[in-house]
């Protein structure tokens, strides 16, 4: 009898699962209409013109932020509070949702009107900023130089080299493997003889210090056993056993931050680190939706979706003005620093920085950093053959970063560049410092209005033929920035209507496309007159 009852329960569950309603929406593109949205990492495919295979916002993120928002240059947008699948096909966006019928909203006639309407209704700006230093000075991350060998001696040497080579001081991030193991927040004694003294030294040198952290917990550790006993870990589906989640460093248990007690405990742990060592904040890695497949795990919040875990992970960062994230779900307008996903060392990677930064802004993430200069994949910089290494790529990458809201170094320019190219990159760091007050003022405005700091040309100059432009952008409302993003020292620039003055103080009448020869030491930009 018991077996029959269990079978019937299984049958009912299976029928319910397969009969679940799927809400479909087919948004046909209007004449001359272009759409952006969904996936920050798809920025180089935006506006969507070519087909895009079905993408699941609940389980995919392409190593970056995803948002249930699409906006068009005709003033239309769609929003959902839950994840959905979408596909670009036959000149339309085809949406499938398990949660609701998604309708198009008519918000105005331009990209800007669509964005601002969506922002005010669904992710209004909080009025709060991450720490001002993120915007006014470069950031430095120890990842490329030290990878998993984070240690006191080399971190202090890296910081001293920043100063010795004439670079501005700013935020210094100590990356993964400073701690004993995952879920533990003590420095490795064999690598750090005096971590508190090290951070005090870095402060005296003029740096703010952040530590890399993640939500994972190493199995068979004291922390694992303690957190398991407290019920603070995500559980394997249908069991009371902590789930072991596959991620890039192996398999680990994971904090269940949908449990408010677990979330408070995690925050308390980080604040204890601040109290004990003097750390200023944290780089919050992981949180990707793919780690939280609800077919495989059970959460404290019984109806938690995969993206709910991403959301509560981001919520931790709101406790710390010095924060950084790479994975995200919604949370636009909040005081969180976002970073583009790790790029490789290639011209192709340089080319996608601008469109991905634009897409981040259009999805509500105004406070975004365009990855690390030259890319965040450390293998590209091991055992360099200087006869084959293209230094100009580092220079052009630094120029793309210089007039973004933030710029971040990791590979040490003084290690890989000759004197001439090092000087160019150093000048770009100081250009960012020089423009810091302007960038910060626009960040402050964004915290009130929700407007992006980096703006698509179509956003700022509607109906002037900029919808498909991907290689130039507006920094706020005043500067048009047009970096060289290829190995050729030349490019064309399309100027909007009006009067413009370039970085060499030459004046131009707008409404025309101009070709420029751009030597390696020049970042091409224009000021609106």
């Amino acid at each position: 009898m018991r077996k029959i009852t269990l079978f019937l329960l299984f049958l009912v569950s299976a029928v319910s699962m397969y009969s679940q309603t799927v809400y479909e929406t087919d948004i046909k593109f209007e004449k001359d209409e272009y759409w952006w949205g969904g996936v920050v990492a798809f920025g180089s495919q935006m506006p969507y013109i070519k087909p895009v295979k079905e993408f699941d916002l609940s389980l995919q993120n392409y190593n970056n932020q995803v948002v249930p928002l699409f906006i068009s240059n005709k003033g239309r947008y769609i929003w959902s509070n839950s994840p959905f699948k979408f596909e670009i096909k036959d000149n339309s966006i085809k949406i499938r949702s398990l949660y609701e019928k998604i309708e198009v909203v008519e918000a105005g006639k331009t990209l800007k009107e669509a964005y601002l309407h969506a922002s005010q209704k669904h992710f209004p700006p909080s009025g709060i900023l991450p720490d001002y230093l993120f915007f006014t000075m470069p950031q430095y991350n120890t990842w490329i130089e030290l990878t998993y060998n984070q240690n006191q001696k080399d971190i202090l040497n890296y910081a001293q080299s920043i100063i010795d080579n004439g670079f501005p001081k700013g935020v210094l991030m100590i990356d993964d493997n400073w701690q004993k193991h995952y879920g533990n927040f003590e420095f490795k004694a064999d690598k750090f003889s005096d971590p508190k003294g090290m951070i005090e030294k870095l402060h005296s040198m003029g740096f703010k210090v952040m530590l890399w952290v993640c939500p994972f917990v190493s199995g068979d550790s004291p922390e694992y056993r303690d957190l398991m006993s407290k019920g603070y870990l995500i559980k394997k589906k249908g069991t009371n056993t902590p789930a072991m989640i596959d991620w890039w460093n192996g398999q680990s248990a994971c904090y269940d931050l949908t449990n408010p007690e677990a979330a408070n405990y995690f925050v308390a742990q980080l604040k204890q680190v601040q109290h004990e060592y003097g750390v200023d904040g944290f780089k919050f890695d992981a949180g990707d939706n793919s780690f939280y497949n609800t077919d495989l795990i059970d959460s404290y919040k019984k109806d938690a979706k995969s993206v709910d875990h991403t959301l509560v992970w981001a919520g931790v960062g709101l406790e710390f003005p010095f924060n950084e994230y790479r994975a995200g779900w919604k949370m636009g307008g909040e005081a969180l620093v976002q970073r583009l996903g790790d790029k490789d060392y290639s011209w192709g990677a340089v080319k996608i920085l601008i469109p991905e930064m634009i897409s981040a802004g259009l999805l509500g993430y105004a406070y975004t950093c365009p990855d690390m200069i030259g890319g965040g994949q450390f293998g590209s910089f091991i055992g360099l053959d200087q006869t084959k290494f293209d230094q100009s790529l580092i220079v052009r990458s630094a120029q793309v970063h210089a007039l973004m809201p933030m710029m971040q170094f990791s590979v040490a320019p003084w290690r890989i560049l000759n004197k001439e190219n090092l000087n160019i990159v150093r000048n770009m760091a100081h250009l960012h410092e020089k423009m810091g007050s302007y960038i910060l003022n626009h960040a402050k405005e964004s915290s009130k209005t929700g407007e992006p700091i980096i703006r698509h040309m179509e956003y700022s100059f509607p109906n002037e033929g900029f919808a498909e432009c991907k290689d130039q952008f507006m920094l706020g409302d005043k500067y048009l920035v047009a970096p060289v993003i290829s190995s050729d020292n030349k490019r064309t620039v399309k100027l909007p209507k009006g009067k413009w003055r370039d970085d060499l103080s030459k004046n131009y009448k707008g409404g025309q496309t101009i070709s420029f020869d751009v030597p390696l030491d020049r970042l091409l930009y224009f000021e609106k007159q």
Side-chain angles (χ1 to χ4, degrees):
M1 186 68 181
R2 182 173 179 273
K3 289 183 178 179
I4 294 174
T5 301
L6 290 174
F7 174 75
L8 289 173
L9 287 172
F10 170 79
L11 187 62
V12 170
S13 175
V15 169
S16 174
M17 178 177 68
Y18 286 106
S19 63
Q20 188 173 8
T21 301
V22 177
Y23 300 94
E24 297 187 351
T25 304
D26 191 356
I27 305 168
K28 296 291 185 183
F29 292 5
E30 296 179 350
K31 185 177 185 298
D32 298 324
E33 184 176 34
Y34 297 88
W35 285 86
W36 292 257
V39 188
V40 167
F42 281 2
S44 61
Q45 301 182 56
M46 300 177 202
Y48 293 114
I49 298 172
K50 297 180 180 180
V52 175
K53 293 181 179 179
E54 186 173 77
F55 188 95
D56 186 350
L57 292 178
S58 69
L59 290 175
Q60 297 173 277
N61 72 353
Y62 274 37
N63 203 38
N64 244 164
Q65 303 84 8
V66 289
V67 181
L69 169 70
F70 281 75
I71 55 177
S72 98
N73 67 321
K74 297 298 183 183
R76 302 200 295 167
Y77 77 86
I78 59 169
W79 172 270
S80 174
N81 285 316
S82 300
F84 53 79
K85 295 179 181 180
F86 76 90
E87 180 182 13
I88 309 298
K89 184 179 179 181
D90 299 330
N91 210 35
S92 68
I93 306 173
K94 301 181 183 298
I95 294 174
R96 298 171 65 231
S97 172
L98 297 176
Y99 305 100
E100 63 178 327
K101 177 68 174 177
I102 298 172
E103 303 290 349
V104 177
V105 177
E106 303 279 351
K109 296 182 179 180
T110 66
L111 182 64
K112 181 176 181 177
E113 289 172 341
Y115 171 81
L116 289 177
H117 191 281
S119 170
Q120 293 299 322
K121 186 169 183 179
H122 300 291
F123 46 98
S126 68
I128 303 171
L129 279 178
D131 194 89
Y132 291 179
L133 195 62
F134 283 110
F135 305 98
T136 57
M137 293 290 181
Q139 305 159 26
Y140 304 89
N141 186 294
T142 61
W143 174 240
I144 296 295
E145 292 301 310
L146 303 184
T147 60
Y148 291 105
N149 185 31
Q150 304 293 320
N151 67 88
Q152 182 170 326
K153 178 183 176 182
D154 289 336
I155 289 169
L156 288 173
N157 286 340
Y158 183 66
Q160 188 61 52
S161 295
I162 293 169
I163 297 170
D164 291 346
N165 284 280
F167 282 72
K169 293 164 283 190
V171 175
L172 179 68
M173 301 181 189
I174 298 174
D175 217 281
D176 185 12
N177 214 32
W178 59 271
Q179 69 282 56
K180 290 182 178 179
H181 46 257
Y182 300 116
N184 174 273
F185 300 106
E186 300 172 58
F187 284 84
K188 291 181 175 178
D190 60 330
K191 298 287 187 178
F192 298 88
S193 59
D194 182 11
K196 183 175 181 180
M198 175 191 71
I199 292 170
E200 288 175 348
K201 175 65 174 176
L202 291 169
H203 284 161
S204 72
M205 295 167 73
F207 295 97
K208 294 292 186 180
V209 182
M210 296 171 62
L211 295 179
W212 181 98
V213 295
C214 69
F216 296 115
V217 181
S218 297
D220 195 25
S221 66
E223 289 78 11
Y224 172 86
R225 290 186 286 274
D226 180 49
L227 294 169
M228 178 176 62
S229 70
K230 288 182 168 72
Y232 290 175
L233 299 174
I234 292 171
K235 293 182 173 61
K236 184 178 179 181
K237 191 75 174 179
T239 76
N240 200 38
T241 303
M244 300 304 289
I245 294 175
D246 290 309
W247 62 299
W248 62 85
N249 279 336
Q251 289 186 328
S252 301
C254 185
Y255 266 90
D256 185 351
L257 299 175
T258 69
N259 180 344
E261 288 186 8
N264 290 336
Y265 182 82
F266 188 84
V267 169
Q269 294 288 100
L270 297 185
K271 291 192 173 181
Q272 177 58 33
V273 172
Q274 289 188 307
H275 176 75
E276 184 172 352
Y277 299 112
V279 174
D280 298 290
F282 302 93
K283 171 182 175 177
F284 295 93
D285 209 350
D288 304 76
N289 53 13
S290 60
F291 297 139
Y292 308 110
N293 188 333
T294 55
D295 291 339
L296 305 176
I297 65 170
D298 284 330
S299 307
Y300 174 86
K301 184 176 183 288
K302 300 304 181 186
D303 61 348
K305 307 176 185 71
S306 58
V307 291
D308 290 335
H309 287 276
T310 306
L311 193 70
V312 291
W313 178 234
V316 173
L318 295 177
E319 297 286 335
F320 305 94
F322 284 93
N323 66 70
E324 186 200 77
Y325 283 86
R326 172 193 51 76
W329 167 251
K330 300 197 290 190
M331 297 294 274
E334 298 291 348
L336 299 174
V337 171
Q338 305 288 342
R339 178 175 61 83
L340 297 186
D342 293 352
K343 304 290 186 288
D344 60 14
Y345 176 78
S346 70
W347 285 108
V350 173
K351 288 179 181 177
I352 65 176
L353 292 175
I354 293 173
E356 288 189 12
M357 285 293 293
I358 288 171
S359 71
L362 289 175
L363 290 173
Y365 302 120
Y367 321 132
T368 300
C369 179
D371 191 29
M372 301 166 182
I373 291 168
Q377 296 186 6
F378 68 89
S380 302
F381 303 101
I382 295 176
L384 285 180
D385 182 347
Q386 290 290 354
T387 63
K388 299 178 180 178
F389 182 69
D390 186 356
Q391 295 190 21
S392 68
L393 192 152
I394 296 291
V395 173
R396 294 304 193 189
S397 178
Q399 290 171 348
V400 173
H401 281 67
L403 294 182
M404 291 288 185
M406 305 176 191
M407 70 185 307
Q408 185 176 123
F409 291 92
S410 189
V411 66
W414 46 89
R415 176 171 70 87
I416 61 172
L417 298 179
N418 61 32
K419 184 177 180 180
E420 180 182 1
N421 290 335
L422 176 60
N423 188 54
I424 300 171
V425 171
R426 179 169 44 238
N427 289 340
M428 291 300 103
H430 284 290
L431 175 62
H432 184 83
E433 179 184 16
K434 178 182 176 182
M435 296 288 283
S437 60
Y438 174 84
I439 294 171
L440 178 58
N441 284 338
H442 276 277
K444 291 177 179 178
E445 280 299 307
S446 181
S447 75
K448 299 173 185 176
T449 66
E451 285 210 77
I453 302 171
I454 295 300
R455 300 171 186 173
H456 196 290
M457 298 299 297
E458 179 69 21
Y459 182 99
S460 297
F461 303 98
N463 304 314
E464 290 192 32
F466 285 108
E468 296 184 46
C469 180
K470 300 180 182 183
D471 62 353
Q472 60 187 63
F473 61 92
M474 291 298 296
L475 172 61
D477 53 10
K478 188 175 181 181
Y479 292 100
L480 187 162
V481 188
V484 171
I485 52 175
S486 71
S487 57
D488 298 326
N489 291 334
K490 58 182 64 176
R491 66 156 297 153
T492 59
V493 178
K494 182 176 180 178
L495 292 175
K497 296 174 183 177
K499 296 179 180 179
W500 299 86
R501 179 175 298 164
D502 72 9
D503 52 295
L504 301 179
S505 298
K506 185 175 179 180
N507 294 317
Y508 298 87
K509 182 180 179 181
Q512 59 176 322
T513 299
I514 308 171
S515 296
F516 293 88
D517 290 317
V518 188
L520 189 59
D521 63 352
R522 184 183 182 190
L523 168 58
L524 187 61
Y525 63 95
F526 302 80
E527 182 177 356
K528 189 177 181 181
Q529 300 299 295

